[in-house]
């Protein structure tokens, strides 16, 4: 099997309870970072990594995501009529081509592992990427690009990792490190959401994965783990005997946009990175900080 990564899965079936009431009738993944929804950031990152097929695992109340990746004729006509050529061009350049997007539904939010398993028939028998839109990584080259470039050499399961504060291990899947080569670590175990005393390290998995298709067999047999959910980390741990697991220390800054404070951090950081806004936002942040 070649190590080419052509397909990406975007699990967007979660309930987003931490963002209620904002997510009562709007998917969490449509929350904007400045003016771009989280899910578009993720799709653009996948495009930059050479992904050709985009598979969304959606759920109830997520149709806004499908509409976002469709052409909106009324809007296009109106922009054309009003001569807004620049905006019009910007509305098209990131749209995947016809037939490149597929949607399937996770009928019940039984966990990330279950969401990925729902994509099994659309992925088939080849390595594939998984991107969690609420993990936003500011990086150049983009995080998944870095990983795809590395995957040619590693194969196996390759997952982005970062060091977290030891008291935060219970928020993440944590790597039990076998060997550490700096950029890459090889795992001998993985634990989902361990307490700080149980955690084998403080090296945490974030929402970028390149996985072997055999993961679907393990997910199909999986039992519910931490939080009563079918956990992707547990399936990857079960695969360790047959498939090597590599943690990849990406270059870049990750924002946890599933968390309110992380989401605000991301908005400020992305606004400061925008030449059209940076000066105003910097002045505002300085003023507000001085008056605290
Ligand atoms: P989270 O753990 O952030 O859960 O999911 P959530 O439901 O989205 O949000 P909260 O905790 O209630 O606020 C991490 C990722 O896994 C997806 C989510 O959409 C998100 O991208 N997910 C989670 C699913 O697709 N299905 C699930 O059953 C659970």
């Amino acid at each position: 099997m070649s190590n080419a990564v052509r397909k990406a899965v975007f699990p967007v079936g979660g309930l987003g309870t931490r963002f209620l009431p904002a997510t009562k009738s709007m998917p969490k993944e449509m929350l904007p970072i400045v003016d771009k929804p989280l899910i578009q950031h993720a799709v653009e990152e996948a495009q930059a990594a050479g992904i050709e097929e985009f598979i969304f695992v959606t759920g109830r109340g997520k149709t806004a995501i499908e509409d976002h990746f469709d052409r909106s004729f009324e809007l296009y006509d109106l922009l054309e009529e009003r001569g807004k050529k620049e905006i019009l061009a910007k509305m098209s350049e990131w749209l995947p081509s016809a037939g490149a997007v597929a949607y399937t539904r996770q009928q019940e939010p039984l966990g990330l592992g279950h969401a990925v398993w729902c994509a099994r028939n659309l992925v088939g028998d080849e390595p594939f990427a998984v991107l969690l839109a609420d993990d936003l990584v500011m990086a150049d080259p983009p995080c998944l690009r870095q990983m795809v470039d590395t995957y040619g050499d590693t194969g196996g399961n390759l997952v982005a990792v970062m060091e977290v504060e030891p008291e935060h291990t219970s928020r993440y899947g944590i790597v039990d490190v076998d060997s550490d080569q700096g950029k890459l670590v090889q795992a001998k175990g993985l634990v989902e959401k361990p307490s700080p005393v149980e955690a084998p390290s403080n090296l945490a998995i974030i929402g970028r994965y390149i996985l072997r298709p055999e993961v679907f067999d393990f997910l199909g047999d999986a039992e519910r783990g931490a939080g009563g959910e079918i956990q992707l980390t547990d399936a990857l741990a079960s695969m360790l005997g047959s498939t090597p697991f590599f943690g990849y220390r990406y270059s870049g800054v990750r924002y946890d946009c599933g968390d309110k404070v992380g989401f605000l951090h991301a908005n400020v950081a992305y606004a400061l990175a925008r030449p059209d806004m940076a000066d105003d936002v910097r002045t505002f942040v300085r003023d507000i900080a001085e008056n605290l």
Side-chain angles (χ1 to χ4, degrees):
M1 187 182 293
S2 124
N3 282 351
V5 186
R6 300 184 316 111
K7 299 185 180 183
V9 174
F10 302 87
V12 292
L15 296 176
T17 52
R18 284 173 287 169
F19 269 93
L20 284 168
T23 48
K24 186 171 175 228
S25 61
M26 182 184 78
K28 171 171 81 170
E29 297 78 10
M30 288 302 292
L31 290 171
I33 301 300
V34 186
D35 51 8
K36 191 186 285 185
L38 282 166
I39 190 65
Q40 188 182 333
H41 281 278
V43 165
E44 288 184 8
E45 183 179 329
Q47 287 168 325
I51 295 296
E52 296 162 13
E53 293 185 34
F54 306 82
I55 300 164
F56 292 79
V57 182
T58 73
R60 285 180 65 74
K62 301 280 179 168
T63 46
I65 295 175
E66 294 181 39
D67 291 340
H68 189 71
F69 292 98
D70 196 3
R71 276 178 189 274
S72 162
F73 288 107
E74 304 87 337
L75 183 62
Y76 282 43
D77 286 352
L78 205 74
L79 290 172
E80 184 108 52
E81 215 174 278
R82 298 197 175 161
K84 309 245 179 209
K85 290 211 169 70
E86 228 174 280
I87 303 181
L88 198 57
K90 282 213 177 97
M91 292 288 289
S92 301
E93 60 199 15
W94 47 269
L95 271 189
S97 55
V101 190
Y103 299 92
T104 187
R105 274 208 183 198
Q106 185 188 21
Q107 289 145 330
E108 282 177 273
L110 297 179
L112 175 61
H114 181 256
V116 171
W117 181 74
C118 290
R120 65 198 179 284
N121 292 335
L122 293 166
V123 171
D125 193 23
E126 57 184 285
F128 64 102
V130 176
L131 295 96
L132 304 189
D134 46 12
D135 264 344
L136 184 62
V137 187
M138 190 187 263
D140 186 17
C143 184
L144 190 67
R145 174 82 260 168
Q146 298 174 35
M147 292 172 68
V148 165
D149 290 345
T150 306
Y151 193 70
D153 296 327
T154 62
N157 290 323
L158 179 72
V159 173
V161 293
M162 69 174 203
E163 260 84 24
V164 296
E165 296 296 330
E167 61 269 30
H168 291 164
T169 54
S170 61
R171 300 179 188 172
Y172 300 91
I174 298 289
V175 179
D176 190 357
V177 177
D178 186 19
S179 66
D180 193 334
Q181 296 117 48
K183 207 75 186 154
L184 276 180
V185 302
Q186 204 161 344
K188 59 173 184 254
L190 301 165
V191 193
E192 183 62 23
K193 300 189 170 60
S195 68
V197 280
E198 290 162 334
S201 76
N202 68 334
L203 200 57
I205 294 173
I206 67 149
R208 298 288 180 281
Y209 308 75
I210 300 178
L211 303 179
R212 298 272 315 171
E214 291 81 6
V215 72
F216 295 123
D217 300 332
F218 289 83
L219 286 170
D221 293 338
E223 290 177 7
R224 295 191 187 206
E229 297 193 330
I230 295 175
Q231 297 289 354
L232 182 55
T233 308
D234 294 345
L236 299 178
S238 307
M239 291 175 78
L240 280 169
S242 51
T243 306
F245 179 102
F246 299 97
Y248 178 74
R249 285 195 181 92
Y250 57 94
S251 308
V253 182
R254 174 255 187 184
Y255 296 96
D256 177 6
C257 295
D259 169 78
K260 286 186 269 284
V261 174
F263 174 75
L264 291 173
H265 285 177
N267 264 296
V268 174
Y270 275 73
L272 287 172
R274 288 259 302 248
D276 59 329
M277 302 171 69
D279 289 347
D280 279 356
V281 177
R282 190 173 297 111
T283 308
F284 169 74
V285 172
R286 275 200 189 127
D287 287 353
I288 208 165
E290 268 166 28
N291 292 319
L292 281 179

